[in-house]
Amino acid sequence: MTFQRARSEEQRAVRRRAILETTSAMLDEMPVAEVTLNELSRRVGLAKTAVLRYFESREAVLLDLMDDRTTTWLAELDQELAHGVDLSRPAMERAEQTADVLSRSLAAQTVLCDLFGAQGGVLEHNVSVDVVRRHKRASLGNLAVMAGLIRRHLPEVGDNAELFCLNALILGGALSAYTSPPPSLLAVYESEPALAVHQIDLRTALRLAIITSLVGILPRS
């Protein structure tokens, strides 16, 4: 893929979208830590300096991609909750159903969980105030949408919905780091299976954490 220099806002938008889509494809092949501007520019068909005209840094690309992917995922989660939570059931049953749906849905978003895991310690560094401001506005918007979805199916959580959602996303990022062991660790597990006794399954670990959080914030009857 090669491009002529963009001379209009529409052309710039096309370039930005191509960079984001290429980055997304790279993340299907490799973890966030292995994504580099050099490889991204090679794949998208632009010089590294040209990529930096559209995004000020590698981290800025990944933050934009995280915001886009979160928005897309929340639209999917909306449908999954609608099909998976029976609003006629008591609060505790709906909490369990919500935990089932949310843990399954979030665990399937392996790239998004990897991005969440890198957000605070890596991605929000090496970016300008303007980039962070735009990202935080998008993040808060997505968090409000997610909280609204949870309250729709479990209104009993009330004002705790946003904090619950934030914790769920942070957990998804933190736990995902332990669910894809590096080759050396896999070799150890293969040679000495007893050492893999606490190897984490992301969905199982997320469900336990999510249901524990939900039960903790439900009002006592």
Side-chain angles (χ1 to χ4, degrees):
M1 182 187 302
T2 57
F3 291 113
Q4 299 294 321
R5 183 169 182 175
R7 300 187 182 280
S8 68
E9 285 305 312
E10 182 178 358
Q11 289 174 326
R12 288 183 60 82
V14 170
R15 304 297 192 277
R16 286 178 62 89
R17 177 50 51 189
I19 292 168
L20 289 173
E21 289 176 353
T22 301
T23 306
S24 183
M26 290 174 66
L27 287 171
D28 288 333
E29 304 172 16
M30 63 187 73
V32 168
E34 294 181 10
V35 173
T36 66
L37 273 180
N38 286 335
E39 179 61 13
L40 172 58
S41 61
R42 186 189 71 79
R43 293 195 186 199
V44 82
L46 291 170
K48 181 177 175 180
T49 53
V51 172
L52 291 173
R53 284 201 292 268
Y54 301 102
F55 294 92
E56 64 184 41
S57 65
R58 162 189 175 272
E59 290 76 15
V61 178
L62 292 167
L63 285 176
D64 261 29
L65 182 62
M66 181 174 69
D67 295 334
D68 281 358
R69 281 209 172 206
T70 303
T71 300
T72 300
W73 169 60
L74 289 176
E76 297 170 1
L77 180 63
D78 186 5
Q79 298 301 313
E80 292 167 354
L81 286 168
H83 287 93
V85 180
D86 184 348
L87 296 178
S88 69
R89 306 308 300 165
M92 188 59 68
E93 288 187 35
R94 282 182 282 114
E96 292 178 355
Q97 292 170 345
T98 299
D100 284 339
V101 172
L102 181 54
S103 59
R104 179 177 64 248
S105 184
L106 185 54
Q109 298 292 325
T110 53
V111 170
L112 194 52
C113 285
D114 193 15
L115 288 165
F116 288 147
Q119 181 180 5
V122 178
L123 301 187
E124 291 179 350
H125 299 253
N126 193 32
V127 287
S128 66
V129 170
D130 286 343
V131 167
V132 170
R133 180 182 292 113
R134 184 173 67 247
H135 162 64
K136 284 301 184 183
R137 286 173 176 168
S139 292
L140 288 173
N142 281 327
L143 194 64
V145 169
M146 185 177 177
L149 296 179
I150 298 300
R151 276 194 297 265
R152 184 187 307 164
H153 297 88
L154 199 62
E156 292 83 356
V157 301
D159 293 338
N160 291 310
E162 283 204 11
L163 181 57
F164 161 75
C165 291
L166 178 61
N167 287 341
L169 299 182
I170 291 172
L171 280 167
L175 290 169
S176 70
Y178 295 92
T179 57
S180 299
S184 58
L185 189 53
L186 289 174
V188 169
Y189 288 162
E190 185 176 356
S191 64
E192 196 171 344
L195 296 178
V197 63
H198 293 306
Q199 188 174 358
I200 291 175
D201 173 75
L202 183 56
R203 181 183 173 186
T204 301
L206 274 174
R207 189 191 184 285
L208 176 61
I210 288 170
I211 191 61
T212 301
S213 297
L214 282 176
V215 170
I217 61 178
L218 285 177
R220 300 293 185 266
S221 56

